[in-house]
Amino acid sequence: MNPTLFITKKIAEAIESLYGVTPADGMIQIQATRKEFEGDITLVVFPLLKMSRKTPDKSAEEIGEWLKHNTDAVSTYNVIKGFLNLKFASSFWFDILKGVAQCDNFGQLPPTGKTIMVEFSSPNTNKPLHLGHIRNNLLGWSVSQLLSANGHNVVKVNLVNDRGIHICKSMLAWLRKGNGETPATSGKKGDHLVGDYYVEFNNMLTAEVNRIMEEKGIDKDEAEKQAPLLKEAQEMLLKWEQGDKDVVNLWKTMNGWVYDGFDITYRNLGIKFDKTYYESNTYLLGKSLVLDGLARGIF
């Protein structure tokens, strides 16, 4: 039941009963009651005065009184300078909510035949999901649900950034400082554990850069370029791209910890994906285009 349509129909009945006139389309103007007044919905009485041939307040009083005595939906009313503010009875709202509860597909529009992909979350695997990820997850899920309710076939997609120098930084720090620590031995969620080692790498790099700056009297940017730790992380990335067995196995292990941690967060948020893509499976396409551009002299 639509409250606006319902009350419009009842007001039309009131006008016919009181004044013997059928109001034309558009003459009954309904709006939300202003917050400073009591009521749920407001009738603008001025367009009806030619039919009532009475003052705005008198016309509003008569219509309000008729509604109060001829429908259980209206509990009270008040008149403010030609505006009739109507308050619906609790039973009216209860009947509406009861109808919603009994409708399995309330608000669901018919299928449009259109497929829409919504990509969201898209985290890195070197740190836990944070507040910004939660925001994007909830927005992505909400947009997906709204599109689905509008009749579209929605495909929810997560694109995971699971490769790159940032991943190697966590891996290298774990090799240096981890002593075989795992989520099981530490009691930490996997994404939090790997994130701790990403922070540890930055701490190690900062100490190394400061030492180089002091020893060689150079600035921070130059010292970072010379830092053996950063060079080692870059070499690890090259080994990963070359398929080095030890590097790839460590990458799979630590990413597995992160995915287990992500899954816990997604379950807690009530979020699911129809498809998850991984950058490690797609980056070669981009790399091949770059190499082709270099060979052809475009880049």
Side-chain angles (χ1 to χ4, degrees):
M1 183 191 304
N2 183 301
T4 300
L5 295 179
F6 171 83
I7 204 64
T8 298
K9 180 181 177 182
K10 289 299 180 182
I11 291 171
E13 293 177 9
I15 293 170
E16 291 179 15
S17 175
L18 291 168
Y19 310 122
V21 182
T22 301
D25 292 342
M27 293 194 70
I28 299 177
Q29 298 180 14
I30 300 295
Q31 62 188 31
T33 302
R34 292 169 59 178
K35 62 182 181 180
E36 60 264 34
F37 302 125
E38 182 182 7
D40 298 307
I41 204 162
T42 296
L43 169 66
V44 182
V45 178
F46 300 103
L48 309 176
L49 300 184
K50 289 184 179 180
M51 291 179 285
S52 69
R53 298 185 182 276
K54 297 178 181 179
T55 65
D57 285 1
K58 181 62 176 177
S59 301
E61 283 285 351
E62 290 182 344
I63 295 172
E65 196 67 20
W66 189 96
L67 291 170
K68 184 177 179 181
H69 287 89
N70 290 276
T71 173
D72 294 334
V74 176
S75 61
T76 61
Y77 70 90
N78 62 84
V79 177
I80 306 292
K81 297 181 179 180
F83 292 88
L84 174 60
N85 302 319
L86 302 168
K87 185 173 181 61
F88 289 120
S90 297
S91 58
F92 175 78
W93 295 120
F94 177 79
D95 288 341
I96 289 179
L97 293 174
K98 184 178 179 181
V100 170
Q102 292 174 344
C103 181
D104 292 335
N105 61 343
F106 177 78
Q108 178 66 51
L109 298 181
T112 63
K114 184 177 182 180
T115 296
I116 299 178
M117 184 180 76
V118 180
E119 181 259 307
F120 61 101
S121 193
S122 304
N124 297 330
T125 57
N126 66 309
K127 57 186 177 182
L129 298 177
H130 51 65
L131 188 60
H133 289 110
I134 293 176
R135 173 184 179 274
N136 290 342
N137 278 314
L138 297 181
L139 283 174
W141 183 262
S142 299
V143 168
S144 300
Q145 296 299 93
L146 289 170
L147 290 170
S148 179
N150 276 274
H152 306 309
N153 176 41
V154 179
V155 181
K156 298 180 290 295
V157 169
N158 187 4
L159 174 61
V160 180
N161 181 8
D162 65 337
R163 63 164 297 277
I165 188 65
H166 51 294
I167 312 297
C168 291
K169 289 177 179 179
S170 296
M171 293 163 58
L172 183 56
W174 184 85
L175 287 174
R176 293 280 190 91
K177 301 282 190 175
N179 296 318
E181 184 180 27
T182 68
T185 61
S186 66
K188 295 180 181 179
K189 282 174 78 251
D191 52 334
H192 285 265
L193 178 64
V194 173
D196 288 346
Y197 283 102
Y198 182 71
V199 173
E200 181 60 32
F201 177 90
N202 287 323
N203 293 337
M204 294 164 58
L205 181 62
T206 297
E208 194 167 82
V209 167
N210 289 338
R211 177 179 55 79
I212 294 173
M213 289 171 60
E214 184 177 347
E215 290 178 353
K216 299 187 177 182
I218 56 180
D219 63 25
K220 181 179 179 181
D221 290 341
E222 184 60 33
E224 189 168 296
K225 292 178 183 178
Q226 297 182 20
L229 189 66
L230 185 58
K231 291 181 179 179
E232 189 173 349
Q234 293 167 342
E235 291 171 0
M236 178 179 281
L237 178 59
L238 289 174
K239 288 181 179 180
W240 180 89
E241 292 185 352
Q242 294 163 0
D244 182 275
K245 183 178 179 180
D246 292 336
V247 172
V248 170
N249 285 339
L250 178 60
W251 169 78
K252 288 181 178 179
T253 296
M254 294 183 70
N255 272 357
W257 296 343
V258 174
Y259 297 145
D260 289 342
F262 284 175
D263 286 344
I264 293 173
T265 301
Y266 292 140
R267 285 198 300 272
N268 289 340
L269 290 173
I271 287 174
K272 297 179 181 179
F273 299 96
D274 299 304
K275 178 69 176 178
T276 299
Y277 293 97
Y278 300 93
E279 188 181 331
S280 58
N281 293 331
T282 60
Y283 87 100
L284 289 175
L285 173 62
K287 184 176 182 180
S288 67
L289 294 173
V290 172
L291 293 175
D292 180 62
L294 287 170
R296 292 161 56 190
I298 296 174
F299 303 140

